[in-house]
Amino acid sequence: LLKHRRVAFGGVLGMAVLAFAAVTMAATSTVVVTPTNNQGWIIPLPDNGPVINGFNGPADSDGGIGSLRFGPIAGAGNAKFEIQPPETNKLVTDFGGLGLEYDILAPASGSDSEDQIYVNVYVDSAANGIGFFGPNLMTSGFYDCRYVYVATTNAAGWNSLSFNSATAPSSPVASRHSSCAATLAGFADASRIEFFRINGGDTSTSDNNLEAAFDLVGIKFNGNTKIYDFEPYAVPTNKDDCKKDGWQNLKRADGSSFKNQGDCIQYANTGK
Ligand SMILES: [Ca+2]
Ligand SMILES: [Ca+2]
Ligand SMILES: [Ca+2]
């Protein structure tokens, strides 16, 4: 009995050490974004005109079976594809970087396609206080500084775009209300990233006909990275995912459906 208790104590201690390590070490986790669970993403922003999109884009080599597909972007000038990740209202000083993969499936008719893939970062500088000003949020008040990071290749297949706090933006910083730092690393401690916007196309007709896909958007804060994997459906990772009708929105990794909750639980437990 004594020996058994010692083993049990050692096991508990070991688990406590592991839990401590998990809290203190940088972590990377994958979040699957599906048509029925956007995980806090806004897909797409509602004010940019209708652009057909879905989660059945081409598979990335290490990104499951699907991706977020959009286009072709139609003729209206304000039509573009714009999405917003759930990381909003965050301290700039906690930001560690953003990366994404994109695949241009059909080029824009009006300009180089790679110019049409970019990320905007909207910052509320602490230099003029936190909060926004002006009679019209859209024209005078909804950000102090806007940084843009533009993709630079349209090679066939998947390409990547990434930046961090030290990366120089691709074009001059759009500034309102206060002087803006040359890079995100230049902000005072209380300054905040209001939101990121990932764009396919711009608010002109130069993006007409663009079709592309996004996948594996990685966003790092406080040393921890979340990788958003766009997939046409979610796969259960444990039996609880199957319960409360969860099985109806889940599939096996090969895309096949479950007959019922028990079928789903068996798959979650055994992989078969
Ligand atoms: Ca994917
Ligand atoms: Ca347009
Ligand atoms: Ca401000």
Side-chain angles (χ1 to χ4, degrees), residues 6 65 75-76 106 111 115 151 188 212 220 222 229 257 261 269 271:
R6 276 183 183 160
I65 66 158
S111 67
D115 293 341
K220 187 176 186 179
N222 299 111
D229 184 5
S257 299
Q261 178 175 297
N269 288 336

Side-chain angles (χ1 to χ4, degrees), residues 73 76-79 202-205 207:
I73 294 178
N78 67 349
D202 54 29
T203 51
S204 77
T205 54
D207 57 12

Side-chain angles (χ1 to χ4, degrees), residues 124-133 144 178:
D124 178 358
S125 170
N128 62 352
I130 292 297
F132 299 110
F133 314 94
D144 289 327
S178 69

Side-chain angles (χ1 to χ4, degrees), residues 58-60 62-68 214-216 228-232:
D60 200 339
D62 52 356
I65 66 158
S67 57
L68 184 61
F214 291 121
D215 205 14
L216 300 178
Y228 295 97
D229 184 5
F230 297 99
E231 291 294 295

Side-chain angles (χ1 to χ4, degrees), residues 156-206:
W158 288 97
N159 296 295
S160 61
L161 164 64
S162 65
F163 61 92
N164 60 33
S165 294
T167 306
S170 304
S171 55
V173 180
S175 173
R176 291 166 170 163
H177 300 306
S178 69
S179 59
C180 296
T183 68
L184 294 169
F187 279 96
D189 284 353
S191 300
R192 305 192 79 91
I193 291 175
E194 284 303 300
F195 41 74
F196 302 93
R197 293 279 173 83
I198 297 170
N199 293 265
D202 54 29
T203 51
S204 77
T205 54
S206 67

